[in-house]
Amino acid sequence: MDFDTLLSNGATLAPEVLLTPEGTKRGMAVKFDGSRIVGLGPLGDFPDATLLPGRAIVPGMVDAHTHVGQIFGKALIGGEPAQIWRRIWHPMERDMDEEQSYLSAKWAFWEALRGGCTKVVNYGLNNITKNAGVHRAALETGIRLVSACGLDEFSGEIGTGHGNKSWLEIKDVILAHIDHCDGQEVIKPSVCCSSFMGNTPETLAKLSSLCADKGILLQIHSNEHFPEVHECILRYGMRPTELLHPHGVLGPHVLLHHTTLVSEVEIELIVETDTATTYNPLASVWKGNAVAPALRFAQRGVRFGIGSDTTSADGFKNLMAAEACQRIEHGLPVADFSCGAAWTWVNASTSQGAEATGAAGDHGALAIGQAADFIILDMMAPECLPSHDFEWELVRYYNRDQIDAVVINGRLCMSRGEPIGWDTEDLRRDAMAVSTKITSAPDIVRCHGPSHLYRPSRD
Ligand SMILES: [Zn+2]
């Protein structure tokens, strides 16, 4: 099957399965023209549709939280205790230049496309120079990007040297970032900050109101690790999300990352303010303290997406971890075998994930008027047959080698694992040449060392 021809403008496709906002549908066709879905309905209404037997079309997955500047260090974290940002990420990312940022981001986008992700929400304390590299990588690969602009008021050395700047200076940085993203259909601006650990509540309040005003996403790392929660209570007498609420920081334009250690009171504050969150199950397993109460979020109507947090950008691996972590945490102890059922995690990974990260009806679902962001899956692998319950199959049996095509904003970005329009060998050569320099920044500290040190001696 030649996807390049198949997916040319005005294509109408009739797969065996189409995953719509109403669930799994058979006998349907979807038509897209340019960047948009312009028709969707029963196959009989589309006599010219190209039949795709044995194929499923599902919305692209959204990586709702990752750090594209950290990709070359992803394998440094095995066995490391939480709060890795202090010991590995800050020293590693701090001095990256435009070219290094470009190579790191392009590598991250390559992994994301291979993993079935059509949208990546980047978190980084980035200045315009780093973002010039990140944006170039996004435009070359075609991935949909929520771009990061970073602020850290107290720690001037972090990221971009915004430290100790006046509010007017901080505001100028944000406005310049918004300008930098202007006119790019698949790149949207956002502001990133840690909660009280990097900014005063007053600054956070100003950031929130500016982001609301400009209609952009404010990303805040919140309630992730024990030391952070303890420090907030010691400093302010409140937990991190409790602190954000009275200062007016929370709201529908805010995306709280991790929220693993949230109390019932904090969950209700998130509900009351329609704040969105990200659930990062693999990050919890690989480098966290706890698992976010995502099942509770789902029950309370919290909009949440699933993030990789630079663990593995494989959307299917994250989907399986999302269900498995909730099952272990909440399902097993009470014999809840459904545990949110598959659709909760599929939604969080696709349409709800897009919505939580600022899509606002623009993309993320297979529906008329939405952007054509989707993946075509081969349903014929033995692991996926016979098919009885497609959403459970997506969560448990599908694998990234079944992704036939990745389409973003109507553009074919990957066909059978190979990116379209750029050369992977060039990237591999250039990226490997700089990755050692990036991952050997002098102040990187690995507490636990590599795995082989912990093998028992045979003497
Ligand atoms: Zn993170």
Side-chain angles (χ1 to χ4, degrees):
M1 207 174 288
D2 174 6
F3 289 107
D4 223 349
T5 316
L6 186 70
L7 295 166
S8 53
N9 273 353
T12 307
L13 306 174
E16 189 165 323
V17 159
L18 193 67
L19 189 62
T20 73
E22 290 77 44
T24 300
K25 303 277 184 200
R26 290 173 191 261
M28 300 275 284
V30 58
K31 179 179 171 64
F32 67 97
D33 205 357
S35 64
R36 298 277 139 184
I37 295 171
V38 295
L40 192 144
L43 181 54
D45 296 351
F46 297 91
D48 297 335
T50 305
L51 298 180
L52 297 177
R55 297 291 188 280
I57 295 187
V58 307
M61 291 185 269
V62 174
D63 190 343
H65 177 51
T66 196
H67 305 256
V68 303
Q70 298 174 356
I71 200 74
F72 297 130
K74 64 182 183 288
L76 287 176
I77 59 150
E80 286 295 311
Q83 298 257 292
I84 292 164
W85 62 273
R86 291 176 187 277
R87 303 185 308 275
I88 297 179
W89 303 135
H90 273 173
M92 202 187 90
E93 282 188 277
R94 186 187 47 218
D95 299 324
M96 284 168 65
D97 60 21
E98 180 181 335
E99 183 66 9
Q100 291 170 337
S101 300
Y102 161 73
L103 292 168
S104 181
K106 195 162 178 182
W107 195 279
F109 299 149
W110 182 18
E111 288 193 28
L113 290 172
R114 281 168 50 78
C117 296
T118 51
K119 179 180 186 181
V120 162
V121 180
N122 185 32
Y123 184 105
L125 303 178
N126 285 8
N127 58 15
I128 293 269
T129 309
K130 283 185 178 177
N131 275 334
V134 175
H135 290 192
R136 178 152 66 99
L139 295 172
E140 285 176 10
T141 56
I143 202 138
R144 193 179 288 285
L145 172 71
V146 175
S147 177
C149 152
L151 292 160
D152 209 306
E153 193 181 33
F154 294 153
S155 308
E157 84 277 11
I158 293 176
T160 56
H162 296 308
N164 303 318
K165 283 197 161 37
S166 70
W167 170 246
L168 282 180
E169 288 172 297
I170 292 170
K171 193 174 163 188
D172 281 348
V173 170
I174 297 170
L175 296 180
H177 178 56
I178 293 173
D179 271 357
H180 190 206
C181 299
D182 194 35
Q184 304 290 357
E185 226 184 316
V186 292
I187 300 178
K188 294 292 171 228
S190 78
V191 172
C192 297
C193 56
S194 55
S195 64
F196 69 94
M197 293 183 96
N199 297 280
T200 61
E202 292 72 27
T203 298
L204 289 167
K206 286 180 186 164
L207 289 174
S208 181
S209 115
L210 180 59
C211 287
D213 218 36
K214 297 291 176 188
I216 68 172
L217 203 63
L218 174 62
Q219 306 184 50
I220 306 178
H221 268 113
S222 195
N223 296 62
E224 183 180 6
H225 298 126
F226 290 126
E228 175 206 339
V229 175
H230 288 196
E231 176 66 24
C232 192
I233 295 169
L234 291 176
R235 218 191 273 182
Y236 293 102
M238 278 184 268
R239 303 169 59 83
T241 299
E242 285 178 338
L243 175 71
L244 297 176
H245 184 253
H247 288 88
V249 178
L250 301 176
H253 59 292
V254 176
L255 183 64
L256 297 181
H257 293 308
H258 296 288
T259 53
T260 51
L261 298 165
V262 279
S263 65
E264 278 297 313
V265 170
E266 287 174 302
I267 293 174
E268 289 311 310
L269 297 176
I270 289 169
V271 171
E272 186 187 313
T273 53
D274 193 22
T275 301
T277 68
T278 65
Y279 168 35
N280 300 264
L282 271 186
S284 288
V285 174
W286 290 7
K287 55 183 179 172
N289 292 136
V291 169
L295 201 54
R296 188 93 185 95
F297 291 156
Q299 286 155 351
R300 296 294 295 119
V302 174
R303 296 171 298 125
F304 67 96
I306 296 176
S308 73
D309 197 21
T310 334
T311 51
S312 160
D314 181 340
F316 292 113
K317 201 185 268 190
N318 283 284
L319 203 46
M320 190 174 79
E323 195 259 334
C325 283
Q326 292 304 302
R327 178 168 297 267
I328 293 165
E329 282 282 299
H330 308 291
L332 296 185
V334 297
D336 176 1
F337 294 101
S338 173
C339 206
W343 64 267
T344 299
W345 316 114
V346 172
N347 273 11
S349 154
T350 57
S351 50
Q352 182 180 273
E355 210 251 309
T357 56
D362 177 72
H363 58 268
L366 294 179
I368 292 174
Q370 294 252 333
D373 289 17
F374 58 84
I375 56 180
I376 302 179
L377 296 172
D378 179 356
M379 300 176 71
M380 291 295 107
E383 294 82 5
C384 304
L385 289 173
S387 176
H388 292 292
D389 192 334
F390 182 70
E391 284 167 302
W392 271 121
E393 288 151 21
L394 271 183
V395 170
R396 292 188 169 173
Y397 300 116
Y398 274 83
N399 192 30
R400 65 179 163 200
D401 64 7
Q402 287 159 266
I403 301 171
D404 273 346
V406 179
V407 175
I408 303 169
N409 215 36
R411 168 180 165 187
L412 177 65
C413 297
M414 185 167 272
S415 175
R416 296 215 169 84
E418 286 303 316
I420 308 296
W422 56 275
D423 190 81
T424 55
E425 275 316 306
D426 289 349
L427 177 61
R428 208 188 312 266
R429 183 196 58 234
D430 296 346
M432 289 303 101
V434 301
S435 67
T436 313
K437 181 166 187 287
I438 294 171
T439 53
S440 46
D443 41 352
I444 289 179
V445 177
R446 282 177 86 183
C447 300
H448 215 243
S451 171
H452 68 85
L453 294 181
Y454 298 90
R455 273 178 181 272
S457 158
R458 289 179 186 246
D459 299 338

